[in-house]
Amino acid sequence: MRALVGAWRALRMLAHIGHGVYLVQVRWGRLDTPAKQRYVGWWSAKLLRVLGVRLESPGPQAPSPRLITANHVSWLDIAAIHAVMPEARFVSKADIATWPLVGALATAVGTLYIERANKRDALRVVHKTAEALAAGETVAVFPEGTTGAGYPLLPLHGNLLQAAISTHTPLQPVVLRWHQPNVPYSDAAQYIGQMSLMESLWRILTAKDLAVEVRSLPAMPTEGLDRRHLAGALSDRINNALPRP
């Protein structure tokens, strides 16, 4: 039965992605920024619904600009955050640009790509992030640098936080928690270790009662702070907000 549910969800997902590709290739250039953001929020929220994921997002969101800093569990984390904060431009690994269909969507919404193994490229992305923040945009990063199991938080990297420090932009910590009934941290959404994207997708498609909580924490000032100390304070803030299993 779960296989049939997964197959049905997969068909709906492909149709929804196809609709997204149509939007960015045919209509995107004629839309202003608020209209694009409305589409991003709508498309992301519907993608979660199509996949059978319930979105939970308590509390109002802070105004832009800010650097959204979230823990990282799944390749769907971006859709979960975009469903709540569609104005965010993400910093993501460069591989995503080459993913079929999804890469075109990510590029259209202003994703900043980074070659994580290249230290020089990391510096370039810090400058690009600072430029976006200084221009009044909101940027979102995953300071862990990779996906984890959800709890505990992996060590945070402070490099990209420098963009917020340099522009006196506050951090917006965001807690992501994928869960199922009586399972505070579901492994259905995890994308870790040697797991392939297709394996991860099928686990999500066939999951029962999967939900994602997107919870914004109070903003953190950055002016005059050192990025390593800021990363430590951010780690404490997010860790303390994650419920113990």
Side-chain angles (χ1 to χ4, degrees):
M1 178 61 72
R2 299 312 302 173
L4 289 176
V5 170
W8 172 241
R9 288 174 176 172
L11 289 173
R12 295 185 65 201
M13 178 196 70
L14 290 173
H16 186 56
I17 291 175
H19 184 207
V21 172
Y22 164 78
L23 286 174
V24 300
Q25 290 187 346
V26 176
R27 301 191 58 189
W28 212 241
R30 302 196 297 268
L31 300 176
D32 60 14
T33 297
K36 288 179 179 178
Q37 292 177 359
R38 286 193 296 271
Y39 268 120
V40 169
W42 166 82
W43 190 91
S44 299
K46 185 173 180 180
L47 176 64
L48 295 175
R49 291 196 302 273
V50 163
L51 294 175
V53 177
R54 186 177 74 257
L55 175 65
E56 302 172 351
S57 180
Q61 306 306 315
S64 297
R66 64 205 189 277
L67 183 66
I68 296 169
T69 48
N71 59 312
H72 201 10
V73 179
S74 170
W75 52 273
L76 266 179
D77 289 345
I78 292 176
I81 293 176
H82 262 161
V84 180
M85 293 166 269
E87 71 276 14
R89 296 182 63 187
F90 273 86
V91 174
S92 298
K93 62 181 182 179
D95 295 355
I96 290 179
T98 65
W99 287 7
L101 302 178
V102 175
L105 300 178
T107 300
V109 297
T111 300
L112 300 168
Y113 294 115
I114 181 172
E115 295 282 355
R116 295 195 183 277
N118 187 332
K119 291 185 178 180
R120 181 173 297 179
D121 195 57
L123 182 61
R124 176 190 65 83
V125 174
V126 169
H127 288 313
K128 288 292 185 182
T129 301
E131 288 176 2
L133 293 173
E137 297 183 77
T138 290
V139 180
V141 301
F142 298 112
E144 289 170 290
T146 187
T147 49
Y151 184 90
L153 193 68
L154 299 176
L156 302 190
H157 302 280
N159 290 347
L160 289 174
L161 304 185
Q162 184 61 50
I165 295 171
S166 300
T167 57
H168 311 308
T169 303
L171 297 187
Q172 175 67 74
V174 170
V175 174
L176 296 172
R177 187 172 67 90
W178 294 83
H179 61 95
Q180 291 171 277
N182 302 315
V183 183
Y185 295 95
S186 172
D187 61 4
Q190 292 175 3
Y191 185 40
I192 57 178
Q194 301 303 310
M195 184 182 298
S196 69
L197 179 61
M198 293 307 298
E199 180 184 354
S200 173
L201 173 60
W202 186 245
R203 287 162 66 94
I204 291 170
L205 288 169
T206 56
K208 185 178 181 180
D209 298 326
L210 182 61
V212 58
E213 177 187 11
V214 183
R215 180 155 55 99
S216 296
L217 304 180
M220 299 174 61
T222 62
E223 188 170 357
L225 297 180
D226 173 85
R227 70 187 185 193
R228 292 179 179 83
H229 288 96
L230 184 59
L234 175 64
S235 179
D236 291 342
R237 181 76 64 88
I238 294 177
N239 259 321
N240 290 336
L242 289 168
R244 302 313 188 248

